[in-house]
Amino acid sequence: MSEVTAAEMKRLEQQADAAGLSYRQMMENAGAAAAALALRTWPGAKSAAVFCGKGNNGGDGFVAARHLANAGLAVRLYLVEGEPVTTDAIYNCGLAREMGLPVLAADTLDEPEQAEFLQSADLILDGVYGTGFHGTLRPEGLAAARRMNDAPGKVLALDLPSGLEADSGTAAEGAVQADLTVTFHAAKPCHRLAAAQCGRVEVADIGIGTALQL
């Protein structure tokens, strides 16, 4: 399995964007691929709790949530550190809201109804932190990771489990333990160095190879 570092991946995305594959389309492709993989892997799933951070990893989560809802799953989105801040994540959060998907603060999981939904969810999607993560989990991220790890449902990490450093494979205390990780375009070093944290790893094509004629 070929690997790229976080910096190499960022450069490839920049080159693909310059070649005509927009960041927004890459996000759409990534989220759609994640949802398709989840549906293939767990075809009996009826519900999904999607945890989204403020950045583009959360944006991938918003896209995946839309596709899972369109496939008939009951989907709720949980914002881990507030509203998204990147342009494409904001756009895709808006699309999820327009569909009528519940977009809730993660601390609502302290409420009985939300806690019950998480405990009964067949799928848990981790879209909190991506390849830019380093160091320790902030309190909100740590609390979200704990909720994901404690939930009975199957955990699908988007790109890499939150709390894992892409290049070193170092896992922060309390990092997400995934059953399955879908990574985009190519594997990252952490998928090899922290294989147990990632579960099974699948690489999804998001169009970069075609755009750059790789």
Side-chain angles (χ1 to χ4, degrees), residues 33-173:
L37 177 61
L39 294 168
R40 286 197 308 272
T41 306
W42 299 294
K46 302 269 193 303
S47 56
V50 184
F51 287 76
C52 295
K54 296 190 298 182
N56 287 334
N57 197 242
D60 297 338
F62 295 126
V63 174
R66 279 192 0 251
H67 285 272
L68 290 173
N70 284 334
L73 276 69
V75 178
R76 296 185 189 183
L77 288 142
Y78 296 98
L79 303 180
V80 173
E81 292 183 316
E83 292 290 326
V85 297
T86 65
T87 301
D88 295 326
I90 291 168
Y91 172 79
N92 279 296
C93 183
L95 290 184
R97 284 189 163 115
E98 287 174 14
M99 281 183 66
L101 297 182
V103 180
L104 307 160
D107 60 13
T108 62
L109 285 161
D110 291 330
E111 300 169 5
E113 182 195 354
Q114 301 305 329
E116 182 178 345
F117 181 83
L118 179 59
Q119 288 299 305
S120 65
D122 297 308
L123 304 180
I124 316 293
L125 270 64
D126 168 23
V128 181
Y129 300 123
T131 57
F133 175 84
H134 294 282
T136 58
L137 286 165
R138 294 187 289 271
E140 297 93 334
L142 182 62
R146 185 180 302 116
R147 292 185 194 280
M148 286 186 268
N149 287 336
D150 289 346
K154 297 295 186 180
V155 177
L156 171 60
L158 305 181
D159 217 7
L160 69 164
S162 292
L164 198 60
E165 293 187 2
D167 293 347
S168 70
T170 301
E173 182 178 353

